[in-house]
Amino acid sequence: MRAARLIKMVLLLQSRPSMTAAELARELEVSERTVTRDAQALSEAGVPVYADRGRAGGYRLIGGYRTRLTGLARGEAEALFLSGVPGALREMGLEDAASAARLKVSAALLPSLSDASRTAAQRFHLDAPNWFTEPKSPELLPAVADAVWDDRRVTARYRGREGEVERELEPYGLVLKAGVWYLCARIPGAGSYRVYRIDRFTEVTAGEHRFERDEEFDLPGFWEERAEQFARSILRAEVVVRLSEAGAHRVPYAVDPAAPVREALAAAGPPDGDGWVTVTLPVESEEVAHAQLASLGPEVEVLAPESLRARFARDAVRLAGLYGT
């Protein structure tokens, strides 16, 4: 424990010109008296820690005591500090490891690059969850993340559409999509990969055996393909609508997913005499289409199916009753 703290103290002093006892105590989560004893121990071990006395004093390293990554340019150094997602790392239980890694990199950089972490953090920030949703970290995420890092098989209980099932999985990778965590895993012997929502796991137990990872597996490519398949798989129905210019502009934001809608708009014919276009839209169901298209108000006219057109006709009658003719 103390050895790790002494190493961290050296790295802190390497990353900054000097630090007061109070600053070191805060970073190391110890008392200032412990900082004084640790500084003395480092000095006795040959690490050139020098204490400046007085109100503006503090601790610093002398004699050029540092390891430098002289091959890094400024842009490369700043990119290193953009590679982490703080919230995601915290949820996976890797915040301390990431903090230590950033500290070690900071300590090893040339003095001219010592501000790389600050300049990057002040220019770029990733906020992964959707608006107006309370981000929740799945309770079992750290256990799953450990298994992913260790290439260790797990036995998991999962809540699916047909109830809770137990499966043995080879956890290949984690994906954070719009604030929701997913596991990409392979069932031993099946050869195929599947996707599981982490918040639907009710139990995860890591086994004794590690699996041999398929080096050809490409997590970003796999996720992109599966995400596209999922988006298209939910579009099981079609509706035919007329859209005003304003309606055509707004419909990609009303209907989810937007990509097939934009394709349908691109394939539509020229506007009619009123400036409206007729479009065949892929939708999840008539019920979903009714809820989504209603947000366009008078900028959309449903032509087919007739049952959906009848719904909008009834809506129009009710609205006329509420607001008058």
Side-chain angles (χ1 to χ4, degrees):
M1 182 71 177
R2 190 190 185 197
R5 189 175 72 242
L6 292 174
I7 292 173
K8 185 174 182 179
M9 183 174 180
V10 172
L11 292 172
L12 284 167
L13 293 174
Q14 283 187 198
S15 65
R16 307 177 193 181
S18 67
M19 296 183 69
T20 66
E23 290 171 336
L24 284 168
R26 185 166 56 251
E27 291 282 353
L28 299 173
E29 299 181 351
V30 295
S31 66
E32 292 186 30
R33 181 172 297 180
T34 299
V35 168
T36 301
R37 288 198 297 265
D38 286 351
Q40 180 65 31
L42 287 172
S43 180
E44 292 174 356
V47 179
V49 178
Y50 181 77
D52 292 314
R53 305 297 179 184
R55 294 181 59 186
Y59 294 93
R60 60 187 174 90
L61 294 173
I62 60 176
Y65 190 90
R66 70 169 55 245
T67 300
R68 297 177 176 176
L69 294 177
T70 55
L72 285 179
R74 170 166 289 277
E76 295 169 334
E78 291 174 342
L80 280 175
F81 293 99
L82 290 176
S83 60
V85 184
L89 291 170
R90 181 172 58 254
E91 291 179 7
M92 288 189 291
L94 298 174
E95 185 177 29
D96 290 342
S99 176
R102 287 192 295 268
L103 181 59
K104 290 178 181 178
V105 172
S106 297
L109 290 174
L110 288 167
S112 60
L113 302 178
S114 61
D115 64 339
S117 62
R118 182 182 59 81
T119 57
Q122 292 302 320
R123 286 165 174 79
F124 300 99
H125 176 69
L126 177 61
D127 185 7
N130 279 331
W131 285 102
F132 312 117
T133 58
E134 183 68 25
K136 295 181 180 179
S137 175
E139 182 180 349
L140 296 175
L141 177 60
V144 176
D146 286 343
V148 169
W149 279 113
D150 208 23
D151 292 340
R152 192 176 294 277
R153 287 184 180 181
V154 299
T155 301
R157 296 193 63 83
Y158 185 79
R159 294 191 311 272
R161 293 181 179 178
E162 301 176 358
E164 191 169 282
V165 297
E166 182 174 293
R167 289 208 172 99
E168 187 176 7
L169 301 173
E170 295 176 346
Y172 264 70
L174 289 167
V175 175
L176 177 61
K177 171 70 172 179
V180 179
W181 283 97
Y182 297 89
L183 172 68
C184 301
R186 183 173 65 179
I187 298 177
S192 60
Y193 299 90
R194 300 184 183 182
V195 177
Y196 301 87
R197 279 185 59 143
I198 300 295
D199 58 7
R200 291 181 183 169
F201 284 118
T202 59
E203 184 179 341
V204 174
T205 304
E208 295 295 326
H209 302 290
R210 290 183 173 89
F211 62 91
E212 187 173 344
R213 177 177 288 267
D214 180 3
E215 297 301 329
E216 298 297 320
F217 178 76
D218 174 23
L219 179 61
F222 169 79
W223 178 258
E224 182 178 1
E225 179 182 348
R226 283 302 177 91
E228 183 177 354
Q229 289 177 0
F230 172 76
R232 294 186 179 277
S233 70
I234 65 174
L235 304 177
R236 303 184 182 94
E238 289 184 342
V239 299
V240 182
V241 298
R242 289 178 70 236
L243 295 165
S244 69
E245 183 178 354
H249 175 73
R250 287 164 50 190
V251 70
Y253 304 98
V255 179
D256 188 39
V261 175
R262 291 192 173 94
E263 293 175 5
L265 288 170
D272 59 22
D274 297 325
W276 290 49
V277 293
T278 300
V279 183
T280 300
L281 298 176
V283 295
E284 183 175 347
S285 66
E286 183 175 312
E287 289 74 17
V288 172
H290 177 249
Q292 293 176 336
L293 294 175
S295 66
L296 300 180
E299 308 303 330
V300 61
E301 178 190 1
V302 176
L303 302 179
E306 184 60 36
S307 56
L308 181 59
R309 180 177 176 86
R311 286 193 184 201
F312 276 88
R314 290 193 294 271
D315 289 347
V317 172
R318 292 181 61 194
L319 286 170
L322 289 172
Y323 293 101
T325 58

